[in-house]
């Protein structure tokens, strides 16, 4: 058995030998050695391309000392006031082979009352370690967020879809790291892991230009290994370009070959389950399914001859802060933003779908104000690292710059969607309501929040669980989007092509 290390705080330059110490005691600990201090309530791992999150929930606050080791990349965290127990051992098996960031997790008793977690990473990361106070439905949480050092660009999904559509893209798997601490409980190493590559500047603009001068058979592109294909450099003496047929206007073709982007925002996710129905249906799950169905319809559609593309702020079960949802939509220059939710109230009698837009002044009703306050608390439940935010004041100012024109267009979109939803489901209110929803504060994008039904109502929860109802709802939303664009054609996007 290893000699028990001293209680001296771990220095930043943690050696590999000290990092791997104390593994031999892990499997020898019996029930008589369990902690007298904090008790672990639950452990969770949330993988996502944006970042992967590890959460330790305990009955009392935990103190953690993190150390990041860059080569090979791993995060060591000493959690004080804690001894190894069965709940912590479960953390090892919760790492999924397809996690984009985490290769494995090892856990061991580093010292009496100190548990060490070692998170082996698949790529260099920017870790954030912070604590969260109790909030329903959680107790105290210690959160470890692993952000890739090269942040994922929200345009990447759109580029990948367009490349697949052209038949020229393919995902390439990279080798994953492995765990190997002697005596420590470790996750079996995954065989492969996808390593997305950040795109070059304005890749969507390049793609539009390529389509307007497309070659018959483009060469295959490995998305995970190479940046977006660049146009070949001109030769010193280029051959004369053939004249196009008289019926083809190149300038007009380039102006109209424009991708119409609809940002879909399934509410909640990850640590934030949203509302829960009487039989256990979770809001975050059902709105994600509806989002996927609507994405399929948008990606198959064209408006005025222009292809449509859906961009999802989250396409899996992970938490996205409210301001990040808005930022993602703005970075892909979305033409519309639709946030999808399933309402809940304190009594099961409330029922019906609703559509909301932002309000410049007060809420249009007491219920709208109540709902906006509830939805705006998603960051508290989901777990936002307030200390990690930069330029909070500037960010808040940007969110408050929503213009009268944006709200006017949002009301038009809301009325179009509400009319179609009302043709297949009961409405809670027959008009678009308004309140200060943080997620709708994109100053340059018409934005609405759709409450698909009251998940707290047993009958409506059953409908939301139904695949047929989900399909009908996605159809209605798609028709509403088409009708909005029929009366409000998308503006030309200023790009150099």
């Amino acid at each position: 058995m290893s000699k028990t290390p001293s209680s001296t705080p771990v220095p930043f330059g943690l050696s590999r030998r000290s990092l791997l110490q104390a593994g031999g005691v892990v499997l020898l600990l019996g029930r008589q050695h369990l902690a007298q201090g904090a008790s672990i309530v639950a452990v969770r791992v949330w993988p996502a391309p944006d970042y992967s999150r590890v959460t330790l929930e305990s009955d009392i606050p935990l103190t953690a000392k993190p150390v990041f080791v860059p080569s090979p990349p791993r995060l060591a965290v000493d959690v004080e006031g804690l001894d190894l127990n069965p709940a912590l051992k479960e953390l090892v098996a919760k790492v999924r082979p397809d996690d984009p960031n985490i290769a494995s997790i090892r856990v061991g008793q580093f010292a009496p009352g100190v548990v060490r977690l070692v998170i082996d990473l698949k790529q260099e990361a920017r870790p954030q370690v912070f604590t969260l106070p109790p909030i329903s439905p959680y107790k105290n949480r210690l959160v470890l967020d692993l952000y890739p050092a090269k942040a994922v660009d929200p345009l990447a999904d759109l580029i990948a879809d367009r490349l697949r559509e052209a038949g020229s893209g393919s995902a390439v798997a990279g080798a994953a790291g492995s765990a190997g601490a002697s005596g420590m409980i470790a996750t079996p190493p995954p065989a492969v892991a996808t390593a997305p590559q950040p795109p070059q500047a304005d890749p969507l603009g390049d793609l539009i230009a390529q389509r307007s001068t497309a070659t018959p058979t483009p060469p295959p592109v490995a998305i995970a290994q190479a940046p977006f294909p660049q146009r070949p450099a001109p030769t010193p003496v280029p051959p004369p370009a053939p004249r196009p047929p008289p019926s083809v206007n190149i300038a007009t073709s380039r102006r109209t070959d424009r991708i119409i982007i609809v940002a879909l925002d399934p509410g909640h996710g990850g640590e934030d389950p949203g509302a829960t129905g009487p039989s256990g249906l979770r809001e975050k799950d059902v709105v994600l399914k509806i989002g996927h169905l609507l994405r399929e319809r948008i990606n198959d559609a064209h408006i005025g001859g222009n292809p449509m593309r859906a961009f999802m702020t989250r396409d899996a079960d992970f938490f996205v802060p409210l301001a990040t949802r808005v930022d993602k939509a703005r970075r892909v220059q979305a033409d519309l933003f639709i946030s999808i939710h399933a309402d809940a109230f304190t009594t099961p009698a409330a029922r019906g779908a609703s559509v909301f837009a932002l309000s410049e002044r007060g809420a249009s009703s007491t219920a709208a104000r109540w709902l906006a306050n509830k939805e705006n608390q998603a960051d508290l439940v989901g777990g936002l690292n307030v200390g990690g935010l930069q330029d909070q004041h500037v960010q808040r100012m940007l969110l408050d710059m929503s213009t009268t024109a944006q709200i006017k267009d949002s009301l038009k979109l809301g009325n179009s969607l509400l009319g179609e939803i009302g043709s297949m489901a009961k409405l809670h209110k027959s008009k678009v309501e308004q309140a200060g929803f943080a997620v709708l504060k994109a100053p340059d994008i018409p934005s609405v929040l759709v409450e698909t039904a009251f998940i707290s109502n047993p009958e409506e929860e059953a409908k939301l669980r139904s695949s047929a109802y989900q399909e009908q709802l996605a159809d209605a939303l798609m028709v509403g989007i088409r009708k909005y664009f029929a009366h409000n054609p998308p503006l030309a996007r200023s790009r150099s092509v």
Side-chain angles (χ1 to χ4, degrees), residues 160-185:
D161 285 346
R162 297 292 282 156
L163 287 175
R164 282 193 292 268
E165 182 181 89
S168 62
S170 62
V172 178
S178 60
S182 174
M184 301 188 80
I185 302 174

Side-chain angles (χ1 to χ4, degrees), residues 74-302:
R74 58 202 186 278
L75 175 68
V77 182
D78 289 342
V79 186
E80 299 178 350
L82 194 63
D83 281 345
L84 194 68
N85 57 32
L88 282 171
K89 294 178 183 178
E90 291 178 6
L91 188 60
V92 169
K94 288 183 178 290
V95 178
R96 287 171 26 183
D98 61 348
D99 190 310
N101 304 293
I102 300 176
S104 63
I105 295 180
R106 295 170 279 148
V107 56
Q109 193 74 46
F110 182 70
V114 179
V115 167
R116 170 165 290 178
L117 303 179
V118 179
I119 303 177
D120 299 300
L121 303 171
K122 294 178 178 177
Q123 57 182 315
E124 188 178 350
R126 295 181 294 105
Q128 295 183 14
V129 180
F130 56 98
T131 58
L132 296 168
I135 185 172
S136 179
Y138 298 116
K139 296 186 178 181
N140 297 276
R141 284 176 289 172
L142 173 63
V143 179
L144 288 67
D145 285 347
L146 290 312
Y147 289 87
K150 294 182 179 179
V152 176
D153 192 305
L155 279 170
D157 289 342
L158 292 176
I159 295 168
D161 285 346
R162 297 292 282 156
L163 287 175
R164 282 193 292 268
E165 182 181 89
S168 62
S170 62
V172 178
S178 60
S182 174
M184 301 188 80
I185 302 174
T187 309
V192 294
T194 302
Q197 193 80 2
Q200 298 295 312
D202 197 15
L204 205 55
D206 288 346
L207 198 148
I208 294 171
Q210 285 188 357
R211 277 201 52 180
S212 61
T213 57
T215 54
T217 309
V221 178
I223 299 175
Q225 288 186 342
F228 196 80
Q230 301 294 312
R231 287 182 292 249
T235 56
V237 183
R243 291 185 177 184
S247 60
V248 176
N249 186 317
I250 293 179
T252 303
S253 173
R254 291 187 180 185
R255 282 200 303 269
T256 58
D257 186 13
R258 169 256 206 258
I259 301 174
I260 300 172
I261 300 173
V262 180
L264 301 179
D265 176 51
H268 310 281
E271 288 285 287
D272 178 16
T276 302
S279 69
L281 181 64
R282 298 182 301 185
E283 179 181 6
K284 69 172 184 176
D285 297 330
V286 68
V287 298
L288 183 61
K289 290 181 180 178
I290 295 170
H292 283 149
L293 291 172
L294 183 54
R295 178 173 66 179
E296 293 174 2
R297 286 154 175 77
I298 291 173
N299 288 350
D300 289 339
H302 288 70

